[in-house]
Amino acid sequence: MSIFKSILKKPLDTAMEKTKGTWMHTQVDMVETILRSGTQATKGKVHLRDSLDLKRTMITVVMALIPATLYAMYNTGMHTLQASAELTGPLASLSEPTLINALLHGAWIFLPLYIVTMMAGGIVEVIFATIRGHEIQEGFLVSGLLIPLIMPAGIPLWMVAMGTVFGLVFAKEVFGGVGYNFLNPALTARAFIFFSYPTKISGDTVWIAADKLKDFDVSGITGATPLGVAAVAERGADAVEALKAAGYTFNNMLVGSIPGSLGETSFIAIALGALLLLITKVGSWRVMLSTFIGGYVMGLIFNAFAGPETIAFLNLPAHYHLIMGGFAFGAVFMTTDPVSAAATHKGQWVYGFLIGVLAIIIRVANPAYPEGVMLAILFMNVFAPLIDHYVVQANIKRRLARA
Amino acid sequence: MAVFTIKKGFDLPLEGEASTDVENAAAAKVISVQPDDFPYHKFQVLVKVGDEVKAGTPVIASKLDSALVFCATASGKVSEIRRGERRKLLGIDIAVEGQEAIDFGAWDITKISSSSKEDLCAHLKQAGMWPLLRQRPYSKIASMDELPKAIYVNAMATAPLAPRQEILCAGKDKEIAAAIAMLKKFQERIFFISDSQNASGHSSIEGVEHHTFEGPHPAGLVSTHIAKLSPINKGETVWYITASQLALIGEYLITGKVPTQTTVALTGPEAPAKKYYKVLRNAQLSTIVADDAGKRVISGNVLNGTTAGKDGFLSFYDNQVTVIQESGDRYYVGDDQHWSGPGFKSFSVHNTFFSKLLGKKKWNLPSLRNGGIRPIVQSNVYDEFVPLDIFVTFLAKACIAEDIDRMEQLGIYEIDSEDVALCTFACPSKVDISAVIADGLALIEKEG
């Protein structure tokens, strides 16, 4: 028995009693179900239930995101410390590029983003849950952490709040909430910001929280991401050489000490999260694997077209594509959202493969913007039901053939 | 004779397996004929409180077929006609007295083999023995209007703590032979399903096609057998029965009197004793479970059973009683069994708890729901537990949408609610898929 029980039991019992029948009951109920388990018994013919519930499923995904989150804070903090400018603000005295200082600076940038996302999203969730009269859904625990991680460090807080509200309302709540969304809500939030305020979410200056450091001369540093470098390299140049010239090697892209959206830079941190999702089977291995395969295959196809007159991006080795940009993060955390992905096993292979292929096509062939993962995933979210339809049709035809 | 190995499914490691001792239970004081055991029928009550009945006296009749009667399985007096909301008939309770039975006439094998199926049907119906034969789809009582393309005799069971059929049928070889001779008049093709443990013991049974199934639950369910041996298409019917129910029919055929006794396994982590008992059919459960405070007494097993309580009754088709803890403790933040805790003491079929690392052990699981009811999110979970060629999530959604055409396309005729019980168990969203499938089947049966 934990000490929490002795502290929490009376207040929770009283709160539940007093708010019964009132509009506040939904919120109190949410808090209660977080702090203690229920005593509802099963009804019907099946008398037992597994211990796994949706809260634990979502928390597992959140735990899988922790390595990426920690690295995001460290990386952002490091970039802030290494920027050759005067630091301002309460953390100005911590200017040595040490681990602790980096984490603190990074947290100073990340935590406001996270808090704003959770507050904006939380308000949306509470409103819809109260109106609909059901418990507040746990899906938001995951979206709330995903959204800041796919934003650049320099994004204004009000923009993140707007994107969160848009993504949650129009990609999820309008259709019925958790379990009914046909698009990934976190990506929809990002897409909204991308199309409405493109200069704030892409380009060269957003990756370091430039405007969070006052009196900072932005032209002093080039914050171009590896993708940005590869996209503008000269025709006929060797992409790998171009990257090296900008300071990006395979190793530091693997570790992630590069600019980029907060959570996407470190392949290793993402891989740790992927491992947790795969062991617990909370994330579908078919979707993850097929996305990487699709991306790799498309990278190879582009390599076949590379030549002295073509853009340098074409000759980027296929395995570089997998660790650059948001590919790994999208493949592990976004494609595996079970509601917006394909539901059948065969369908998942096709779904993941096409996401990988499309992401690389958009990346390489689109001159305006060097990142295609978000758009590829959203596009395939729309097509996932169609893929499932054909798999289910095969099952139906098998049945009819037997008759 | 083929051996089928089923890979999909799961054996719940529940405590409380019955030892092989068979004891005579104290005689039940009350038995009950309960209409809820027989779905898809409406009933006409044939007796009043105070009427004296013998074993074999009809107490209710189906309004669809007045020859289909349901009889008292012991002699005594009608003590109560229980009704529920809106006068729904819940049970005809009979206070047991004496040992009187109606003699319907003993039939030997020669007579059975030379009778027509209509005569056999009438002979079984008049004593209330016909309902032991059920059909698929719908799992309703077999009907002469829909003759089967095969009959399945199930001598194995994989449900949690299920009794061994060979213990239930011990010493009933003659009865089974007589009943098989009877079945053959309806359909020559009879599948006799055993598991690897009792297959050799059954090999001497003649006139049937023997097959062995191995693997986790639901390898022992008749849908799995049907799917592998002779799948049902739209418009087709199969009949099914368990070996112990077949032995009851055989006993009736040989003696001419309704069998009053059956063998039941008392199982479960909270059962007062874990063994087999000889009890009256439809007996009140207080004969074997004296106290049910804080417990849930189930007629059947934890995946497919009816909550009865000690004052409830053994269902017509059940040979098992399971006793588990009712509800359970509350766990607070910081406890191992809280949803955020490591979960060394939380049982799960999924890999999300540290209890998976503890290896094989048996669990005392309470009847807690373990989470809030949510929409279906993890759609991959269900198909791992269903060894049929059916997309369970899509079929469930078609049932919820009441789309009959789609239900038929996706295989509603090949499945029953007991087949998806493990899905209901494992679902993180706590959706009752068994009820969804049951409602879908009821809808189609009603709409024709």
Side-chain angles (χ1 to χ4, degrees), chain B residues 5 7 44 113 120 129 307 320:
Chain B
T5 311
K7 297 211 179 63
Q44 191 192 356
S113 310
L120 278 166
M129 300 301 291
T307 306
Q320 178 183 5

Side-chain angles (χ1 to χ4, degrees), chain A residues 146 185 304 309 316 344 359 368 396:
Chain A
L146 281 176
E309 296 298 313
L316 185 70
T344 55
I396 293 175

